[in-house]
Amino acid sequence: MQITNLNKGAINSIRPVFDGDKPKIYIETYGCQMNVNDSEVVAAIMQKAGYSVTKDIGDANLILINTCSVRDNAEQRVWGRLEYFRQEKKKRANVTVGVIGCMAERLKDKLLENNIVDIVIGPDAYRELPKLVEKTESGQKGINILLSRDETYADISPVRLDKTGVTAFISIMRGCNNVCAFCVVPYTRGSERSRNPETIIRELKELSENGYKEVTLLGQNVDSYSWNGVTFADLLAMVAESTPAMRVRFSTSHPKDMTDKVLETMAKYGNICNYIHLPVQSGSSAILQSMNRKYNREEYLQRIETIRKIIPDCAISTDIITGFCKETQEDHEDTLSLMREVGYDFAYMFKYSERPGTKAARHFKDDVPEDVKIKRLTEIIDLQSELSLASHRKDLNSIVEVLVEDTSKRSENDLCGRTPQNKMVVFPKGNHKIGDLVKVKITDCSQATLKGIAQTMFNNEEHRDTTLPDVSVNA
Ligand code: SAH
Ligand code: SF4
Ligand code: F3S
């Protein structure tokens, strides 16, 4: 699952309500895509309870921070933000502060000890938020960190916080039943449960009707999705068929569970993007075993080979943890050699951070010195930069399909968007706009982005290239 740090506004079944008279809620989101989507669920719940969403913290009656516990630095950032919220509370009367998400679940009432936080609410208790807010009106604190076996928020249409209205997340399941030794997620999110596919398709169609062009199906381990005999491969096919014009992505796949059927389904439907995020964590079989990942190096590489066979142009990204307990220099080199062997298009790379209560914290020593962790991480990042650049270089002179997501941050005259392989492309705007599907010829690249020219820009003599197929498609 990709880790993001987003802070966005909100909507009511697709459109946010920004109403001057209503009490206002401000939500700040840290952590993974699942948290981003949860903030949208929370916005929907609070909108129904009479709140409107504000993007201005100075305007908010209720400030919520949706938190992540996956590494210590993720938690430290939240503590820093809470100190800032303290100032907001001093400035104005009647400001309520709530901590929601994974840190709320992990730290429970400890979060209430600092005179900043009024409400603590875990990932499965968001429906209780309006009641807890009411409770704080009489000066009490509110806490609910009960985990559930069946909550999936299936009936709630998330209030979409993405300003551009092109891409959206749909959570297809919650929780995790794996016990990777390093990971806090099963403790903060509880056990795994899948969501009724009918409600997923309903949400998908709603998005399509509201002009969305791409959906990402979310779960901690999407390959173990299961609902009355419907597998993840079945769900993917249902989704692809229900909205053929919608691009479909998913995250996260687990190397031990990803089936050939999923790969075959990806190959069969043109609207399922040829991109797989397949976290390896380490290239050493010994480390993988102590991480309790339930596959070894050879099995992982076998999965990669099968992906390449069934979907030859599939981009592959990964997550890597460096400096896990007892990791030797040889283990580290195994990680580097595996990265080279796979040739990842992209990677999220982390230093191991011990999380209280996990298997690793209980049974192993966090014994790789900090300076060694930093050195190894630097080597991994440097190698991935080379690999990403090599992957981008392969795209030079080819024509790619880009779904335009936004205006480029660097220049108002450029647009940016992604290829099905999830590569970011920047190109001069011309007559194109956000939400268009544009064919772009790649002319330049860095390790982070591809640069190109939309085919429609080739109409003048200077750029005429008769080998190029048809002009752009405005979806
Ligand atoms: N369900 C997802 C993981 C979500 S956490 C999956 O299985 O891929 C996202 C990533 O954070 C993990 O893949 C891992 O690389 C990293 N991570 C998790 N716990 C960590 C820890 N204790 N220290 C460092 N990185 C960690
Ligand atoms: Fe954590 Fe492993 Fe579950 Fe991913 S699969 S959330 S890494 S326990
Ligand atoms: Fe996501 Fe962080 Fe929780 S990665 S599941 S928000 S611990």
Side-chain angles (χ1 to χ4, degrees), residues 66-83:
N66 195 356
T67 58
C68 175
S69 289
V70 81
R71 282 170 291 279
D72 184 57
N73 59 8
E75 292 200 350
Q76 293 312 322
R77 276 160 74 197
V78 169
W79 286 115
R81 286 304 284 163
L82 288 177
E83 280 308 319

Side-chain angles (χ1 to χ4, degrees), residues 150-369:
D150 47 25
E151 178 64 272
T152 57
Y153 302 110
D155 57 314
I156 295 177
S157 292
V159 161
R160 301 291 166 187
L161 301 174
D162 182 353
K163 62 183 188 311
T164 54
V166 178
T167 65
F169 297 126
I170 298 185
S171 296
I172 61 165
M173 58 207 292
R174 298 180 73 82
C176 183
N177 281 355
N178 295 315
V179 199
C180 301
F182 50 80
C183 187
V184 77
V185 173
Y187 308 94
T188 62
R189 295 243 158 205
S191 49
E192 181 187 286
R193 66 223 93 122
S194 295
R195 176 176 168 187
N196 182 337
E198 281 170 27
T199 70
I200 296 171
I201 300 297
R202 176 195 42 78
E203 197 174 321
L204 178 74
K205 290 193 168 153
E206 217 170 84
L207 286 169
S208 170
E209 281 157 19
N210 283 281
Y212 283 79
K213 303 280 162 56
E214 184 182 291
V215 68
T216 304
L217 309 178
L218 297 179
Q220 295 299 347
N221 178 4
V222 289
D223 299 296
S224 54
Y225 176 89
S226 170
W227 178 275
N228 290 343
V230 178
T231 65
F232 180 57
D234 300 331
L235 178 72
L236 259 186
M238 285 165 69
V239 165
E241 276 174 26
S242 303
T243 49
M246 187 90 112
R247 270 189 181 182
V248 182
R249 300 186 186 279
F250 54 87
S251 189
T252 301
S253 307
H254 198 301
K256 77 176 163 61
D257 295 319
M258 181 172 226
T259 61
D260 289 0
K261 181 103 187 287
V262 166
L263 301 175
E264 283 151 13
T265 309
M266 289 176 73
K268 180 171 169 195
Y269 294 97
N271 58 330
I272 305 180
C273 291
N274 288 346
Y275 166 65
I276 297 174
H277 182 59
L278 198 66
V280 67
Q281 313 299 359
S282 168
S284 151
S285 291
I287 294 293
L288 287 170
Q289 191 176 7
S290 57
M291 283 178 165
N292 199 29
R293 288 289 289 182
K294 308 238 161 77
Y295 54 85
N296 60 30
R297 178 187 174 100
E298 288 66 38
E299 285 159 345
Y300 183 88
L301 288 172
Q302 187 61 51
R303 275 290 80 200
I304 298 289
E305 209 179 304
T306 311
I307 294 171
R308 301 258 189 247
K309 203 164 70 199
I310 300 178
I311 317 165
D313 66 338
C314 193
I316 301 174
S317 63
T318 199
D319 290 346
I320 293 172
I321 299 177
T322 190
F324 186 65
C325 317
K326 297 199 194 81
E327 186 188 71
T328 62
Q329 179 61 21
E330 207 184 333
D331 294 321
H332 170 59
E333 279 161 24
D334 282 348
T335 297
L336 294 172
S337 74
L338 178 130
M339 290 171 71
R340 270 193 211 97
E341 207 167 325
V342 177
Y344 288 113
D345 298 277
F346 187 78
Y348 298 89
M349 299 152 284
F350 313 103
K351 264 186 319 177
Y352 172 59
S353 164
E354 186 177 84
R355 307 313 292 131
T358 56
K359 259 191 156 177
R362 282 182 281 128
H363 299 299
F364 309 134
K365 248 183 139 160
D366 181 10
D367 56 1
V368 177

